[in-house]
Amino acid sequence: MTSTRIPMRPRRVAVFSLHTSPLEQPGTGDAGGMNVYVAQTARRMARLGTEVEIFTRATSSEVPPVAELAPGVTVRHIVAGPFEELDKNDLPAQLCAFGAGALRVEARQKPGYYDLVHSHYWLSGQVGWLARERWGVPLVHTAHTLAKVKNAALAEGDKPEPRVRVVGEEQVVADADRLVANTEAEARELVTRYDADPEAVSVVPPGVDLERFTPGDTAEARRGLGLEPDAVVLAFVGRVQPLKGPDVLLRAVAELLGRSAELRTRLRVLVVGGPSGSGKERPEAMEQLAESLGIADVVRFMSPQWGDDLVRVYRAADLVAVPSYNESFGLVALEAQACGTPVVAAAVGGLTVAVADGVSGRLVHGHDPADWAEVFLSLIRSPETVAGLGAAAPDNAARFSWQRTTESLLQTYAWARRTFRGLSAPGEATA
Ligand code: UDP
């Protein structure tokens, strides 16, 4: 791969991904889009000539202190607290231990070893802030999700994000040299809800692996999953947690079958992903919901899938549903479209950017299962509409790529380095 010339490109970046490792399987627990983002951009950054060292908390005594993710990409496992037993909510108490571990790693290197710190999620941002001060390098921060935005659109029964997170995010926003937002809307949220300096925010859309996620033979994908060739297949892919609204899909399916008895013999619903979050909507709870709705015979719950197995799910589906209450972007929506499958998504956050309404899928306002059932039914009854959306979907997905994301990040890093004024940032007055 040729190297794009970007002046002030860092030689080596310390990436902080404290609460979840890019080596973990996404789609369960705390591992999701952020893991994919960090791994995909790090690989490409290294190929473009910027080395990446990813700092993450060791979640097992078995992991080595240092592991190679790809040429030029190192994962450093930092011991901070008991390995397995900690929940994400326990991690604010481990920031000091993690920070100390990261500083110790740097102290063993030549001076000026890292040119820049990029932190992902507010917990990493807190440590990134410290590293910035200690190492005298710029801090670029990506929030991935924001507590104030999340709390403004909670799923029913979901717990609000705690105040400690809101305060922590405010501090990081004030002290980072540059903030990376996935969308223009997220950039506005940073400015209006978190008082970010608009000049300090770069909009960098995430991407999709366009080599892995490609259209393919639907019949073959269905055979591989033991699905009938003429079935109507709906799929949900993602961490099973209230925020993602898997229950909305199940309730909509119940409604759909209530309206069209004929569909019961043909409809198949795949729910792919592992337990995550506050636990109310763990797969078992979803299985019980499917039972109580009388639709268990059409729903199949599948453990998290990866690689070709995940591609097979997207290809087998007529429609992929993303009924999230909040989504800072929604990589699943891009991946499904890249495979030629239209997406029916909630009109929230990044999904309104990822899905072109009426072109590559449909956006649904609200989470009323009746509305969702209506959209599914109208599409199921019009296979030619679904075929048209599916045909347009890969081009819509191709507007995004990890290569572009990576190049934009490198531009952002260069900008942060050029404008870095040492340690007299506006956030210095932050309490
Ligand atoms: N994912 C996966 N296997 C699964 C479910 C999800 O690899 O069984 C991946 C999926 O391909 C996507 C990521 O997890 O890349 C989820 O990202 P998204 O932005 O949709 O949601 P997030 O988890 O960040 O909330």
Side-chain angles (χ1 to χ4, degrees):
M1 192 166 301
T2 55
S3 163
T4 318
R5 224 192 93 66
I6 301 173
M8 298 291 282
R9 176 212 297 280
R11 278 164 308 146
R12 190 178 295 107
V13 175
V15 169
F16 288 177
S17 175
L18 189 155
H19 76 279
T20 178
S21 165
L23 296 172
E24 273 163 39
Q25 157 72 56
T28 188
D30 289 326
M34 186 180 123
N35 306 58
V36 175
Y37 187 115
V38 169
Q40 289 282 355
T41 55
R43 281 174 196 278
R44 284 168 174 76
M45 227 168 254
R47 281 188 229 146
L48 289 170
T50 293
E51 253 183 69
V52 181
E53 298 204 353
I54 304 168
F55 290 70
T56 191
R57 195 180 80 83
T59 52
S60 151
S61 54
E62 307 287 306
V63 293
V66 183
E68 189 186 62
L69 186 141
V73 184
T74 304
V75 177
R76 292 190 178 273
H77 293 111
I78 304 292
V79 176
F83 300 104
E84 287 95 351
E85 297 104 88
L86 292 185
D87 179 77
K88 190 156 90 177
N89 296 325
D90 299 320
L91 295 181
Q94 298 305 325
L95 294 178
C96 183
F98 189 89
L103 295 189
R104 226 172 279 136
V105 167
E106 195 269 350
R108 287 199 298 264
Q109 313 296 341
K110 298 188 292 292
Y113 189 70
Y114 300 111
D115 292 322
L116 181 134
V117 176
H118 187 171
S119 54
H120 293 270
Y121 196 68
W122 77 275
L123 292 165
S124 302
Q126 287 282 319
V127 183
W129 174 16
L130 176 73
R132 170 190 188 274
E133 302 286 315
R134 197 69 198 85
W135 303 344
V137 298
L139 169 65
V140 174
H141 178 70
T142 307
H144 291 275
T145 66
L146 292 163
K148 290 185 192 179
V149 176
K150 208 170 160 187
N151 287 348
L154 284 179
E156 203 187 311
D158 205 359
K159 288 198 214 92
E161 290 299 309
R163 179 143 174 76
V164 62
R165 174 173 171 189
V166 172
V167 174
E169 286 179 343
E170 286 171 345
Q171 290 169 325
V172 176
V173 166
D175 280 271
D177 298 281
R178 283 208 83 71
L179 298 163
V180 174
N182 283 334
T183 58
E184 296 287 350
E186 190 188 337
R188 278 194 299 279
E189 302 279 14
L190 282 164
V191 173
T192 55
R193 293 184 195 261
Y194 285 87
D195 207 19
D197 171 4
E199 297 293 309
V201 185
S202 299
V203 176
V204 178
V208 55
D209 186 340
L210 295 168
E211 279 155 34
R212 164 159 289 171
F213 297 103
T214 56
D217 187 340
T218 306
E220 188 185 313
R222 290 184 175 190
R223 257 197 313 280
L225 286 161
L227 293 164
E228 305 82 343
D230 59 347
V232 172
V233 181
L234 306 183
F236 167 98
V237 174
R239 296 176 291 140
V240 179
Q241 55 160 268
L243 183 80
K244 298 277 177 189
D247 59 316
V248 176
L249 172 62
L250 296 186
R251 290 181 204 282
V253 165
E255 185 98 21
L256 203 55
L257 294 182
R259 290 193 207 178
S260 168
E262 171 267 329
L263 260 183
R264 181 169 289 271
T265 52
R266 293 199 294 138
L267 189 66
R268 299 287 174 265
V269 181
L270 307 177
V271 176
V272 180
S276 174
S278 54
K280 178 176 162 274
E281 306 206 2
R282 302 178 86 79
E284 310 86 74
M286 288 298 97
E287 283 173 37
Q288 282 161 15
L289 179 65
E291 281 287 344
S292 69
L293 291 168
I295 58 166
D297 54 328
V298 303
V299 186
R300 186 195 299 178
F301 291 90
M302 295 169 66
S303 58
Q305 304 291 303
W306 183 242
D308 292 345
D309 295 334
L310 181 59
V311 172
R312 187 177 300 124
V313 169
Y314 291 133
R315 286 181 182 167
D318 290 291
L319 300 167
V320 166
V322 188
S324 308
Y325 284 82
N326 174 42
E327 199 71 70
S328 75
F329 202 81
L331 298 185
V332 162
L334 283 188
E335 293 163 2
Q337 291 172 81
C339 290
T341 304
V343 175
V344 179
V348 299
L351 291 172
T352 61
V353 177
V355 178
D357 193 19
V359 176
S360 66
R362 291 285 305 278
L363 292 172
V364 184
H365 291 272
H367 295 84
D368 184 340
D371 296 339
W372 283 74
E374 189 58 49
V375 174
F376 288 136
L377 201 56
S378 67
L379 289 170
I380 291 167
R381 285 185 173 151
S382 176
E384 57 291 354
T385 306
V386 175
L389 297 171
D395 279 351
N396 190 54
R399 295 186 297 131
F400 304 90
S401 77
W402 289 120
Q403 191 62 24
R404 235 164 304 168
T405 308
T406 306
E407 285 168 12
S408 299
L409 284 180
L410 285 171
Q411 296 279 5
T412 303
Y413 293 172
W415 181 253
R417 295 187 72 208
R418 249 197 315 272
T419 54
F420 184 57
R421 297 268 173 271
L423 301 178
S424 56
E428 243 184 344
T430 310

